[in-house]
Amino acid sequence: MSIQVEHVTKRFGTFTVLDDVTLRVEAGELVALLGPSGCGKTTLLRILAGLERPDQGRIFLHGAEVTDQRITERRVGFVFQHYALFRHMTVAENVAFGLTVQPRAQRPSATRIQEKVRELLTLVQLQAMADRYPSQLSGGQRQRVALARALAVEPKLLLLDEPFGALDAKVRKELRRWLRRLHDELHITGILVTHDQEEALEAADRVVVMHQGHVEQIGTPDDVYEHPASPFVYQFLGDVNVFHGRTVQERTLADIPPLPEVDSVVSADVMDEHEVTFVRPHDLEVNRSRTNPSQLEATVRYVLTAGSRVRLELTAEDSGQTIEVELTKERYRELNLREGEVVFVHPRHRQVFKIPQS
Amino acid sequence: MNTSIIAAGKDLQWKDSLTTESSLVRRLLIAAAFLYLTLFLFVPLVAIFSEALKHGLSGYIESFFNEDALAAIRLTLLVAAVAVPLNAVFGVAAAWAIAKFEFVGKQALITLIDMPLAVSPVIAGLIYVLLFGAQGWLGTWLAEHDIKIIFALPGIVLATIFVTVPFVARELIPLMQSQGREEEEAAITLGASGWQMFRRVTLPNIKWSLLYGVILCNARAMGEFGAVSVVSGHIRGLTNTMPLHVEILYNEYNAVSAFAVASLLTLLAIVTLSAKVLIERKTASPDRLKSRR
């Protein structure tokens, strides 16, 4: 089922949570709404489900407008961050709930419901837990029950509100891979709300990055990671070093270092724009000696060797700015760096955003 | 190995003395608490039953089998049968509204619900006399239409409802607030109607607290004296509830009957407290009980 969101605005009191959001999700896609807390992603999800009503704008599901349709008529499955399992019902009763509340005419027979519950519990690998109560399950198991419960009514659309947010890192990783496989099997249109960029990039077909009620960028995970459309997206998707400077009119030098001081030295002829340069920590080249005049001189403050890569924290010699660098273990061994030593840094890739001077 | 056990023992003692008072102080405090409760609660309780049974079991039973006593018991049960369900329904509705929705005047509603606890019951009775009494605001109109409220059953029911309003609502509000709205929202997204959601999700989640509130509400409804005394008019066989009947008997120096009827109210209190303890046990460990089922 395709989803079309047109110019949706939502305010809580004087606070604008969603500001003119327009968005399209194709049938069968799994789309992630990604953004920091308070960016409006959960509100958008609740509006799609019918749990909230937009102040302005329209919602279409599969081409038909549902803006004023009641939640029960929309046939959406909703999975809550804190599971929202019925605590006084067993796992099987929880999964069966959506079927047992159907009008008598549409309701499947008791044996058919039982069968269906068994199928769903097999799908989420919890057959053995059918008679347990939610409080006897782990967080990951509970969320799988919640998913089975949502799937029981065969929704056309599955909405997941930070479904793995309350789980520990390892379970989270397992579950999001499992969710991706499940989605590939069922071909159900899905929207996943998350503030975890790794989760969004790994699980979703497309990522919608949101910030302060606006959509900042929509694209495939590769797109948004490799070609961030705005400084916010760049900063939100992974670690980044930010260098401030002003735009130089003639950008003939291909390798202007990301340093304001050097920039202004190259040419005094500057435009009236603020320039921000973004460099990912792994895109910084570190050398022991100066090989290029535009390299930036910095002192090694800390070396963190735990993990698959080595992280360095440097202090720029002239500006005092802290710079984060990520090196492979091999490169680190080659350089044989100690804390307190002086190195020369140079970006392999960088992205420059121009921000009009306020 | 021995030394480690001794060391552990010492360790325990050492911790003990750090976090608690000396054993002498502890024993004194416990003894004081028991003495106080015995003096002010247990002895009167025993006195009620011993006075009631002073003239043997036959005298005790006789106290109930006269018209006035039976009428008082009947009236008390009737008043409770009206007031308790009404307050249970109102309590659930009010608690639901307060716990799950934001609206203007929410704080005022909470304060209003608490008011009967702060107001003296006599004042509660007087309010109704002022409103519905012969000289009250609506007195003439009521007299013209031949509606009797004061010195009649409606007045007693109204006064009882007034004093028992907070019990169910106050029991439910904190519970419903802590439970939040997510389960109900989940039920709705799964296609449940409002009534299905209430019956299958909301109600099962609050049933023990609701029952607890109803028990407390009932105990108060049956035992209420002050408010009912003002509006009842003490008409024997007509507007005397059990507590009022006890007072009348006592004033007539009919101590045995007075204590016998009082013992019935006391038994009600004991049953109420037992039920409360049972429910508290059930709510304290729902998971353990469930897994045993």
Side-chain angles (χ1 to χ4, degrees):
Chain A
M1 184 149 70
S2 67
I3 306 165
Q4 178 88 31
V5 175
E6 281 184 3
H7 306 292
V8 162
T9 297
K10 175 78 184 173
R11 291 181 201 88
F12 288 132
T14 54
F15 182 65
T16 305
V17 193
L18 292 172
D19 189 6
D20 195 25
V21 170
T22 297
L23 178 70
R24 188 176 166 78
V25 177
E26 299 304 329
E29 257 188 323
L30 181 59
V31 169
L33 298 181
L34 174 67
S37 57
C39 73
K41 56 194 191 301
T42 293
T43 307
L44 181 58
L45 197 75
R46 290 173 63 87
I47 286 175
L48 286 175
L51 288 167
E52 306 275 355
R53 186 187 271 274
D55 294 330
Q56 278 152 39
R58 303 197 292 171
I59 312 281
F60 295 87
L61 296 183
H62 208 64
E65 184 169 355
V66 296
T67 316
D68 296 317
Q69 208 175 48
R70 289 180 59 81
I71 184 167
T72 39
E73 292 158 16
R74 293 197 192 183
R75 296 202 47 195
V76 295
F78 200 100
V79 175
F80 294 82
Q81 180 177 7
H82 298 290
Y83 330 122
L85 294 178
F86 307 127
R87 64 194 90 188
H88 60 284
M89 294 185 200
T90 63
V91 166
E93 285 165 351
N94 262 285
V95 176
F97 184 87
L99 298 171
T100 57
V101 294
Q102 283 176 357
R104 210 172 288 275
Q106 294 160 33
R107 196 188 306 163
S109 68
T111 46
R112 177 69 196 118
I113 290 179
Q114 270 188 347
E115 228 171 82
K116 182 116 193 209
V117 168
R118 211 174 310 125
E119 281 168 26
L120 283 162
L121 287 180
T122 312
L123 184 73
V124 298
Q125 298 150 16
L126 287 172
Q127 306 95 298
M129 304 290 176
D131 295 323
R132 301 260 185 113
Y133 282 88
S135 56
Q136 298 166 312
L137 303 181
S138 70
Q141 289 172 331
R142 283 182 214 186
Q143 199 52 292
R144 279 186 282 157
V145 174
L147 205 60
R149 183 179 68 175
L151 291 172
V153 290
E154 293 176 12
K156 294 267 166 47
L157 173 63
L158 191 60
L159 304 173
L160 304 123
D161 183 12
E162 306 235 5
F164 314 132
L167 304 170
D168 57 61
K170 197 170 182 315
V171 180
R172 199 156 68 211
K173 206 162 185 169
E174 253 170 53
L175 271 185
R176 73 168 173 255
R177 296 210 169 123
W178 173 82
L179 175 74
R180 181 66 234 187
R181 281 199 304 276
L182 190 76
H183 178 263
D184 292 341
E185 267 175 50
L186 300 176
H187 299 296
I188 187 171
T189 311
I191 297 191
L192 168 76
V193 159
T194 178
H195 64 260
D196 178 350
Q197 36 113 355
E198 216 182 299
E199 193 168 292
L201 297 178
E202 196 177 304
D205 297 314
R206 285 197 304 151
V207 178
V208 178
V209 186
M210 293 183 66
H211 180 44
Q212 292 179 346
H214 295 275
V215 171
E216 290 272 330
Q217 189 176 4
I218 306 178
T220 62
D222 282 341
D223 256 357
V224 292
Y225 189 79
E226 298 295 339
H227 310 290
S230 70
F232 170 78
V233 178
Y234 211 115
Q235 279 184 299
F236 195 70
L237 296 177
D239 296 324
V240 70
N241 291 298
V242 184
F243 300 95
H244 295 274
R246 282 174 300 170
T247 303
V248 182
Q249 214 165 29
E250 287 187 25
R251 303 185 57 85
T252 44
L253 293 167
D255 48 2
I256 297 168
L259 260 187
E261 285 77 10
V262 182
D263 270 2
S264 13
V265 168
V266 171
S267 165
D269 205 0
V270 289
M271 285 200 298
D272 215 19
E273 266 179 329
H274 189 72
E275 185 185 271
V276 186
T277 305
F278 290 83
V279 184
R280 299 253 185 243
H282 60 258
D283 282 335
L284 279 169
E285 178 91 44
V286 179
N287 283 296
R288 273 188 162 275
S289 53
R290 191 180 282 281
T291 56
N292 181 323
S294 65
Q295 275 169 329
L296 171 64
E297 196 178 337
T299 313
V300 180
R301 286 282 165 237
Y302 300 105
V303 180
L304 301 161
T305 50
S308 58
R309 321 199 90 206
V310 178
R311 300 181 71 88
L312 307 180
E313 208 179 295
L314 314 177
T315 306
E317 210 56 41
D318 35 18
S319 64
Q321 186 185 352
T322 300
I323 304 168
E324 271 187 60
V325 182
E326 219 176 271
L327 296 177
T328 59
K329 291 245 156 151
E330 290 74 36
R331 180 67 187 149
Y332 171 70
R333 253 175 252 129
E334 219 176 285
L335 288 166
N336 192 24
L337 289 173
R338 296 277 143 72
E339 285 168 5
E341 283 181 319
V342 173
V343 290
F344 298 91
V345 191
H346 182 76
R348 274 186 296 257
H349 294 286
R350 60 184 167 164
Q351 186 151 355
V352 179
F353 291 99
K354 287 177 184 172
I355 301 161
Q357 204 81 288
S358 52
Chain B
M1 207 180 99
N2 267 347
T3 49
S4 73
I5 288 170
I6 291 164
K10 260 190 193 160
D11 206 36
L12 215 70
Q13 247 176 13
W14 176 72
K15 265 188 202 156
D16 232 25
S17 64
L18 258 190
T19 51
T20 63
E21 300 295 331
S22 72
S23 74
L24 180 71
V25 175
R26 256 186 296 163
R27 273 174 215 164
L28 272 175
L29 282 173
I30 292 167
F34 266 105
L35 191 72
Y36 187 87
L37 290 178
T38 310
L39 217 62
F40 291 102
L41 287 178
F42 189 66
V43 170
L45 206 64
V46 171
I48 289 174
F49 285 95
S50 72
E51 285 291 323
L53 292 164
K54 212 169 172 179
H55 295 183
L57 205 60
S58 61
Y60 179 73
I61 288 166
E62 237 167 62
S63 311
F64 303 119
F65 285 99
N66 64 71
E67 244 170 61
D68 291 350
L70 284 176
I73 292 170
R74 228 179 288 126
L75 181 64
T76 298
L77 291 176
L78 181 64
V79 168
V82 178
V84 173
L86 275 177
N87 273 332
V89 171
F90 166 77
V92 172
W96 199 6
I98 287 167
K100 315 225 167 177
F101 301 100
E102 293 303 323
F103 53 91
V104 183
K106 186 162 156 172
Q107 205 51 48
L109 185 60
I110 296 173
T111 312
L112 270 178
I113 288 172
D114 278 350
M115 199 179 65
L117 292 178
V119 172
S120 156
V122 177
I123 308 291
L126 278 175
I127 293 167
Y128 288 108
V129 173
L130 268 173
L131 266 179
F132 304 120
Q135 271 76 49
W137 290 359
L138 300 171
T140 357
W141 187 86
L142 289 171
E144 275 165 19
H145 292 79
D146 200 25
I147 301 170
K148 274 195 76 69
I149 292 182
I150 300 305
F151 304 148
L153 178 66
I156 299 173
V157 171
L158 281 175
T160 307
I161 288 176
F162 183 95
V163 294
T164 54
V165 156
F167 290 96
V168 174
R170 278 182 68 96
E171 204 54 51
L172 292 181
I173 290 167
L175 177 74
M176 286 176 117
Q177 269 171 342
S178 75
Q179 284 179 346
R181 284 179 64 184
E182 274 203 343
E183 281 184 51
E184 292 175 351
E185 282 179 346
I188 292 288
T189 62
L190 289 166
S193 66
W195 171 243
Q196 280 173 323
M197 175 201 77
F198 178 76
R199 194 173 54 84
R200 300 196 42 188
V201 177
T202 312
L203 207 54
N205 276 342
I206 60 167
K207 65 181 173 200
W208 292 116
S209 288
L210 177 60
L211 194 60
Y212 184 27
V214 163
I215 284 173
L216 287 182
C217 181
N218 183 58
R220 182 67 195 267
M222 291 190 172
E224 177 54 30
F225 177 82
V228 171
S229 173
V230 175
V231 296
S232 116
H234 305 262
I235 308 166
R236 280 196 181 211
L238 271 182
T239 63
N240 257 351
T241 60
M242 281 163 74
L244 301 183
H245 188 61
V246 171
E247 191 207 16
I248 287 182
L249 291 171
Y250 188 76
N251 286 344
E252 290 170 351
Y253 302 105
N254 191 349
V256 170
S257 292
F259 278 108
V261 177
S263 75
L264 213 58
L265 281 169
T266 310
L267 280 176
L268 169 77
I270 292 170
V271 169
T272 303
L273 286 177
S274 315
K276 174 181 168 269
V277 170
L278 272 179
I279 287 173
E280 267 172 359
R281 263 194 217 150
K282 241 189 151 75
T283 45
S285 56
D287 303 329
R288 195 163 46 91
L289 279 155
K290 269 175 189 165
S291 56
R292 218 187 271 158
R293 202 169 63 173

